[in-house]
Amino acid sequence: MAYKTILTVVTDTDLKSSALDAAITLARRENAHLEIVCLGVDRTQTGYYYVGASAVIMQETLQKAQEDAEAIESVIQTRMANEDCVWSSEAMVAQITGITQLIAGRARFADLVVLPRPYGAERGLEDEAVIEAALFDAHAPVLVVPDSDAFTGFGTRPILAWNQSAEALAAIRASLSALSDAPSVNIAIIDPPQHGPDRSDPGGMLSQMLGRHGVRAEISVLAKTMPRVSDVLMRHVQDINADMIVMGAYSHSRFREALMGGATRDMLENTTVPILMAH
């Protein structure tokens, strides 16, 4: 599938914290329309103020969020003035609890959503809400970029994290347009099940599917010699000098991952290369 509509969400006037540069690079490469949501966030939660104060506070915080959205759009307009890709921007406002509905309504019509890493010292609750809205509610593939300034395009040495899950297969299908330009891809399988349908040829059927799309694949079967799957994957990234990961997102529930951790959250927190995810 070609990427003809690419969406990114900007929540701060400091564009270095966004994935805008990466989104521009991809829009230019794919000859796609880039949609930029300039999101002002009201971070208050209704119900935490005494009676009579809520209406006043809500009016003030919503006004502040609107001003933030307009300031972001002004910066975007200046930044995009000389870009040669097709683009549009829109200032939007949401409370934290309303981000899911707002972003999902836009992301569901995008072929790809490009976002910054949602976790880190400078990230907020809105960043996590945006990425989860795109993945879970819009069911859109998401490209997470850890460093937008250093992004030059889709990986030429991508790793496909394959665990036979529906989420992993959805991510691979969503990445086929990008994978077709890679000289080869690496299918990484960590401790394949001994009694699964692919036990005699781990990754064989996936490799065959990719080959019919013109994608040359090699398979690496890795032992889980480290406590976390994410650690094994990141070490494999370093070992083969990979520059992109394709993986399924949240095979377990978000609630379980929030409490106990999981490969998705660990990767989003620690990745040094772009990750294309789908759920």
Side-chain angles (χ1 to χ4, degrees), residues 20-139:
L20 180 62
D21 287 346
I24 293 170
T25 299
L26 290 180
R28 189 182 296 118
R29 174 190 183 275
E30 299 290 312
N31 193 27
H33 185 107
L34 174 59
E35 295 185 351
I36 307 167
V37 172
C38 307
L39 183 62
V41 180
D42 174 8
R43 295 172 177 81
T44 59
Q45 298 185 49
T46 305
Y48 283 80
Y49 303 101
Y50 60 85
V51 176
S54 295
V56 175
I57 293 175
M58 284 183 62
Q59 182 176 359
E60 292 178 351
T61 55
L62 284 172
Q63 178 63 34
K64 177 61 167 59
Q66 182 63 45
E67 292 171 357
D68 289 345
E70 292 172 356
I72 294 169
E73 186 172 35
S74 177
V75 172
I76 291 292
Q77 296 279 347
T78 301
R79 170 66 179 81
M80 298 298 296
N82 296 318
E83 291 294 339
D84 56 359
C85 62
V86 181
W87 64 278
S88 60
S89 65
E90 184 175 357
M92 307 182 78
V93 173
Q95 290 185 308
I96 285 289
T97 54
I99 287 178
T100 295
Q101 183 177 1
L102 179 70
I103 297 303
R106 299 298 296 268
R108 65 185 300 194
F109 297 107
D111 298 315
L112 182 68
V113 182
V114 182
L115 297 171
R117 185 164 52 184
Y119 304 113
E122 298 180 356
R123 313 313 303 181
L125 289 175
E126 64 272 18
D127 299 298
E128 185 175 359
V130 165
I131 195 170
E132 291 193 354
L135 284 170
F136 286 94
D137 298 276
H139 301 287

Side-chain angles (χ1 to χ4, degrees), residues 82 112 131 164 174 213 231 234 253 279:
N82 296 318
L112 182 68
I131 195 170
Q164 302 185 35
H213 283 274
D231 294 333
M234 289 310 302
S253 71
H279 179 77

Side-chain angles (χ1 to χ4, degrees), residues 139-214:
H139 301 287
V142 175
L143 180 68
V144 180
V145 184
D147 187 353
S148 187
D149 291 339
F151 185 83
T152 58
F154 281 120
T156 58
R157 298 177 303 279
I159 288 176
L160 312 185
W162 179 237
N163 61 0
Q164 302 185 35
S165 69
E167 291 82 5
L169 187 57
I172 291 168
R173 290 188 192 280
S175 70
L176 284 174
S177 175
L179 298 179
S180 62
D181 290 337
S184 67
V185 303
N186 182 270
I187 300 172
I189 306 169
I190 300 173
D191 282 354
Q194 297 181 357
H195 304 291
D198 294 338
R199 62 187 180 278
S200 61
D201 184 21
M205 293 294 289
L206 175 60
S207 178
Q208 181 184 79
M209 183 193 88
L210 293 171
R212 290 172 178 169
H213 283 274

